[in-house]
C-alpha cells in the first residue's frame, strides 16, 4: 500500500495503531515528530494511507470546494480521502461529476458511515441547528473544525450534544482564495489540558490551513474583526478592482485590459507590503510611506487621493470592517439564545 507523506523530515514515525496515536484519532494515519533542540514539536501527517476517508465535510458549497481544491493542489488529500454532504441532489451530482464518490445528501448517513474522522462544518450558520440534529446520538467526535462565521466555540460545544470534554474544536476562518493557496486564514481554539495530545489536533488544523494559504492563531475575542478582513474582504477587494476597471473603461480603456491591469496593480501593491525585498517592513512602518512614494508633488495620484478622501473612502472601508465584525457578534448572540 502506498503511503503518502506530507512531511518527510521525520525523526520518529508513530504508526496509527500505536497507543499514543489511538488516544488521539484513529483516522489519521501516523504522527511525525520534529526535534528542535530539546523540544519536541509534533506535526500531524494527514496524508493518509491510500483508501481511507478521513476528511468529512458537512456542507459542500463555495467554501468547502475552495478548501478541498486547495488541499488537493498541495497533495494534502486525494478525492478518496474526502466525504461531503450537501442538501440537494443537484449539488451531489456536481461533486460526483468531479470524481468524488463519497457524496451524501443525508448528513446523518455520512456521519454514521465515518464514525472516526476529521469533521469540517462548512454550512451556513443558519443551518447549524439542522446539522446538530443530524449528528448520530452515539457519535463521539474527537476533532471538529468549524468554518462558520459568527458561531463561537462555546455555542459549538454546547449545541453539539455529543461533544465531550474530550473533543477539540477549532474555529477556522479561511477565505475564497483557498482554492489557489492564497487564503489569509485565522484560527482559534480553547486550550484544554485534559485532552490528551490536543496539540496534535491543533497542529493538524494548522497544517490544513497552511495548505491553502497563511494562518494566524488568534484569541477568539479577536476572531470577528479578523474574519472581516481575512474572510470577507476579498468580496470588497473584487468590488474595488471592478471599480478601478470601470473608471478606466469610462475613460476609454478596453474592458479586458482594464480588468487585468487593475487586478495586477492590487497584487503588486499587496506584495510590496508583504515582501521585505521592497524595503518595507510591515511590522514597523506605516503604509503611508509607500503611498507617499506614488504621489508626486503636484502630480496625478494626489488628485485621486484627494477625491477618495472627499468621498469617504477610508471611512467607508473602516466602517465596513466594523459592521461585518458586529454582524458576526450579533449572529453569535442570536445563536446562543
Ligand atoms: N464563502 C466564503 O468566502 C466563506 C465562507 N465561510 C463560511 O463557510 C460556511 C459556508 O459558506 P459557503 O460555502 O459560502 O455557503 P454555500 O451556500 O456555498 O454552501 C453551503 C453548503 O451547505 C449545504 N447544506 C445546506 N444544508 C445542509 C445540511 N443540512 N447538511 C449538509 N449540507 C447542507 C449546501 O447544500 P446544497 O449545495 O445542496 O445547497 C451547500 O453545499 C458559512 O458558515 C460561512 O460563514 C467562511 C469563510 C469564507
Ligand atoms: O459572508 C459570510 O458570512 C462569510 C464569512 C466570511 C466570508 N463569507
Amino acid at each position: 500500500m502506498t503511503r503518502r507523506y506530507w512531511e518527510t523530515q521525520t525523526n520518529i514515525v508513530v504508526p496509527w495503531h500505536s497507543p499514543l496515536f489511538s488516544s488521539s484519532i484513529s483516522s489519521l494515519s501516523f504522527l511525525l515528530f520534529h526535534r528542535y533542540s530539546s523540544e519536541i514539536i509534533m506535526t500531524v501527517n494527514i496524508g493518509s494511507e491510500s483508501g481511507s476517508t478521513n476528511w468529512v465535510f458537512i456542507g459542500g458549497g463555495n467554501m468547502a470546494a475552495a478548501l478541498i481544491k486547495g488541499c488537493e493542489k498541495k497533495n494534502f488529500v486525494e478525492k478518496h480521502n474526502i466525504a461531503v454532504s450537501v442538501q440537494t441532489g443537484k449539488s451531489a451530482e456536481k461533486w460526483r461529476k468531479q470524481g468524488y464518490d463519497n457524496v451524501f445528501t443525508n448528513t446523518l448517513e455520512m456521519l454514521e458511515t465515518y464514525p472516526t474522522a476529521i469533521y469540517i462544518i462548512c454550512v451556513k450558520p443558519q443551518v447549524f441547528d439542522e446539522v446538530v440534529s443530524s449528528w448520530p446520538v452515539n457519535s463521539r467526535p474527537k476533532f471538529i473544525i468549524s468554518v462558520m462565521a459568527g458561531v463561537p466555540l462555546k455555542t459549538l460545544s454546547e449545541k453539539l450534544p455529543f461533544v465531550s470534554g474530550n473533543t477539540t474544536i477549532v474555529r477556522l476562518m479561511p477565505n475564497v482564495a483557498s482554492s489557489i493557496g492564497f487564503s489569509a486564514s485565522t484560527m482559534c481554539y480553547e486550550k484544554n489540558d485534559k485532552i490528551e495530545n490536543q496539540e496534535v489536533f491543533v497542529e493538524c488544523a494548522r497544517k490544513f490551513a497552511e495548505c491553502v494559504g497563511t494562518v494566524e492563531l488568534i484569541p477568539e475575542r479577536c476572531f470577528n474583526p479578523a474574519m472581516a478582513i481575512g474572510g470577507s474582504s476579498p468580496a470588497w477587494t473584487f468590488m474595488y478592482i471592478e471599480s478601478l476597471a470601470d473608471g478606466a473603461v469610462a475613460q476609454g480603456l478596453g474592458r479586458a485590459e482594464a480588468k487585468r491591469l487593475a487586478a495586477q496593480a492590487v497584487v503588486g501593491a499587496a506584495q510590496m507590503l508583504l515582501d521585505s525585498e521592497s524595503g518595507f517592513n510591515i511590522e514597523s512602518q506605516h503604509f503611508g510611506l509607500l503611498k507617499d512614494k506614488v504621489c508626486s508633488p503636484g502630480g496625478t495620484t494626489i488628485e485621486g487621493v484627494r477625491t477618495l478622501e472627499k468621498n469617504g473612502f477610508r471611512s467607508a472601508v473602516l466602517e465596513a470592517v466594523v459592521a461585518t465584525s458586529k454582524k458576526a457578534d450579533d449572529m453569535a448572540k442570536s445563536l446562543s439564545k
Side-chain angles (χ1 to χ4, degrees), residues 57-65 84-92 95 104-108 110 121-127 130-131 134 146-151 172-177 227 230-232 234 331:
F57 287 79
I58 303 162
N62 293 320
M63 203 54 243
V84 60
S85 71
V86 289
Q87 191 176 38
T88 59
K90 195 172 162 208
S91 284
W95 281 95
F104 296 77
T105 46
N106 181 330
T107 298
L108 172 67
M110 176 175 76
I121 306 179
C122 282
V123 293
K124 295 280 184 209
Q126 298 84 335
V127 179
E130 211 178 304
V131 167
S134 303
S146 164
V147 305
M148 290 182 293
V151 187
L172 176 68
M173 184 50 57
N175 75 29
V176 70
M227 178 273 302
S232 300
M331 284 162 72

Side-chain angles (χ1 to χ4, degrees), residues 69-86:
K69 196 170 167 198
C71 285
E72 281 181 14
K73 260 178 101 127
K74 291 275 172 71
N75 295 323
F76 192 66
V77 291
E78 290 180 5
K79 287 187 168 54
H80 58 251
N81 301 131
I82 307 271
V84 60
S85 71
V86 289

Side-chain angles (χ1 to χ4, degrees), residues 13 15 28 54 75 79 91 141 146 152 162 264 283:
V13 176
L28 300 177
N54 42 23
N75 295 323
K79 287 187 168 54
S91 284
S146 164
F162 317 111
Q264 183 59 32
E283 306 295 337

Side-chain angles (χ1 to χ4, degrees), residues 63 89 112 168 239 251 261 287 329:
M63 203 54 243
E112 280 175 344
T168 297
M239 289 163 69
Q251 289 298 99
L261 268 176
F287 287 2
D329 293 344

Side-chain angles (χ1 to χ4, degrees), residues 165-222:
N166 230 348
T167 310
T168 297
I169 304 180
V170 170
R171 279 186 80 187
L172 176 68
M173 184 50 57
N175 75 29
V176 70
S178 296
S179 63
I180 56 160
F182 272 89
S183 177
S185 308
T186 41
M187 61 183 246
C188 67
Y189 74 103
E190 199 170 306
K191 194 164 167 25
N192 182 346
D193 292 333
K194 293 199 185 112
I195 300 181
E196 213 180 340
N197 301 316
Q198 192 190 32
E199 63 276 23
V200 170
F201 297 111
V202 175
E203 192 55 26
C204 174
R206 186 198 290 276
K207 285 277 172 212
F208 175 59
E210 281 176 352
C211 235
V212 296
T214 62
V215 60
E216 310 234 3
L217 182 63
I218 56 168
E220 190 176 31
R221 66 188 152 73
C222 304

